[in-house]
């Protein structure tokens, strides 16, 4: 008996390559989501991809081109619609000029989507989400990829500016990979959020680098002390070729990583960079070892 003739379908790899070519952005997470604008009546299901800080919506899982997209780089919040119900899988993405209601198939899937969206939009893994260790590990991997992508974009932007002003050739603080790499303990969080992260995850470290009160500078938040932990904050000013720590006697260093190393060295290792990904990896390894011995 002859087999029925089937319409050839493009290979998943070819579809992914075509989407990569069209969007020009790395793929971080994907799956089905139902979405609607807040004022609309009905949800519509899309195959959805999170690439960089953009959500791409496809009418079909195998469609090479997207039907619409949403840039979430300026995301204000991702709020559960039914925050008091454990089985909630709906949340609203709020941006400066629009709101989008998102619905996932189940609660766990919804939490995962929300976690990845917040990770790339806020450049920080959400500390308050009830996520599994393996999910947190994947989000931290995405976070590192997104940090590197943005650094590369900044480098390209700086290179373009330098070409336009070759007569102003000043030494750059971004000459080496160690200078350009954002420290692993950097999180795009507020002072209050940094304190909460340190208090809730003491085994992950006790030093966080975060944005300062303005868009140009940085701040260090630390939690230390043997019996009664003490919270302190330090300003780090960004200059043309250096970073200056605002101490009683100002300290000037070449990179943000040097700033972190300075705090670690001066406290003889009592201050440790806060790296949530490494913390959860260690916890998962420990659990795995315990399981093998039982």
């Amino acid at each position: 008996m002859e087999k029925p003739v089937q319409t050839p379908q493009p290979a998943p790899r070819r579809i992914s390559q075509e989407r990569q070519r069209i969007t020009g952005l790395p793929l971080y997470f994907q799956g089905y989501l139902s979405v609607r604008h807040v004022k609309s009546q009905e949800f519509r299901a899309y195959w959805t991809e999170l690439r960089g800080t953009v959500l791409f919506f496809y009418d079909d899982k195998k469609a090479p081109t997207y039907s619409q997209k949403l840039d979430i780089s300026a995301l204000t919040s991702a709020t559960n619609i039914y925050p008091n119900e454990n089985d909630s899988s709906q949340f609203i993405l709020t941006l400066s000029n629009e709101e989008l209601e998102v619905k996932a198939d189940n609660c766990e899937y919804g939490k995962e989507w929300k976690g990845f969206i917040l990770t790339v939009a806020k450049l920080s893994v959400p500390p308050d989400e009830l996520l599994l260790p393996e999910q947190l590990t994947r989000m931290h991997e995405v976070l590192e990829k997104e940090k590197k992508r943005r650094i590369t974009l900044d480098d390209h932007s700086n290179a373009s500016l330098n070409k336009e002003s070759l007569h102003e050739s000043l030494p750059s603080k971004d000459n080496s990979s160690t200078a350009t790499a954002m420290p692993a303990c950097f999180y795009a969080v507020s002072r209050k959020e940094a304190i909460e992260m340190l208090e809730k995850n003491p085994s992950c470290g006790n030093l966080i680098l975060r944005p300062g009160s303005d868009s140009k500078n940085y701040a260090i938040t630390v939690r230390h002390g043997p019996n009664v932990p003490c919270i302190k904050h330090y300003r780090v000013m960004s200059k043309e070729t250096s970073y200056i720590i605002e101490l009683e006697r100002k300290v000037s260093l070449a990179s943000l990583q040097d700033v972190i190393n300075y705090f670690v060295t001066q406290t003889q290792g009592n201050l440790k960079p806060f790296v949530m990904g490494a913390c959860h990896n260690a916890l998962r390894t420990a659990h795995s070892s315990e399981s093998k011995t039982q």
Side-chain angles (χ1 to χ4, degrees), residues 150-167:
R150 296 195 192 185
I151 289 171
T152 301
L153 289 176
D154 289 341
D155 287 347
H156 288 166
S157 177
N158 290 336
S160 298
L161 290 174
N162 288 337
K163 288 180 181 179
E164 294 175 4
S165 56
L166 290 175
H167 62 284

Side-chain angles (χ1 to χ4, degrees), residues 88-236:
S88 168
S89 62
Q90 294 178 227
F91 53 93
I92 293 179
L93 300 178
T94 304
L95 292 93
S96 58
N97 58 347
E98 65 178 312
E99 289 185 336
L100 189 72
E101 191 172 341
V102 178
K103 181 169 66 174
D105 289 340
N106 58 64
C107 181
E108 287 302 317
Y109 192 42
K111 288 178 183 177
E112 196 168 19
W113 261 111
K114 183 180 175 184
F116 277 102
I117 288 171
L118 287 172
T119 294
V120 298
K122 301 296 185 180
L123 211 60
S124 174
V125 174
D128 297 328
E129 292 295 316
L130 298 176
L131 298 164
L132 299 175
E134 56 266 29
Q135 293 172 326
L136 287 169
T137 298
R138 288 164 54 209
M139 288 176 194
H140 280 283
E141 291 172 352
V142 165
L143 175 62
E144 294 307 311
K145 291 178 181 178
E146 180 60 15
K147 285 181 180 179
K148 291 178 181 178
R149 185 183 77 88
R150 296 195 192 185
I151 289 171
T152 301
L153 289 176
D154 289 341
D155 287 347
H156 288 166
S157 177
N158 290 336
S160 298
L161 290 174
N162 288 337
K163 288 180 181 179
E164 294 175 4
S165 56
L166 290 175
H167 62 284
E168 297 178 357
S169 55
L170 295 173
S172 172
K173 63 186 176 189
D174 295 331
N175 285 335
S176 66
S177 59
T178 56
T180 59
M182 186 64 75
C185 60
F186 172 79
Y187 297 90
V189 295
S190 65
R191 173 187 287 211
K192 180 180 178 181
E193 290 170 332
I195 294 173
E196 291 177 354
M197 291 170 67
L198 294 176
E199 289 178 342
K200 292 180 180 180
N201 305 276
S203 60
C204 294
N206 55 0
L207 182 154
I208 284 179
L209 173 67
R210 58 181 176 81
S213 56
D214 55 37
S215 60
K216 298 180 180 179
N217 300 305
Y218 299 87
I220 296 278
T221 295
V222 302
R223 182 177 186 265
H224 64 96
N227 299 319
V228 182
C230 173
I231 298 289
K232 288 188 177 181
H233 309 277
Y234 302 89
R235 294 179 63 188
V236 180

Side-chain angles (χ1 to χ4, degrees), residues 15 19 32 47 49 58-64:
I15 296 172
R19 290 174 178 173
Y32 280 107
W47 178 260
E49 292 185 343
Y58 298 84
D59 292 329
D60 184 87
K61 186 176 180 179
K62 296 181 179 180

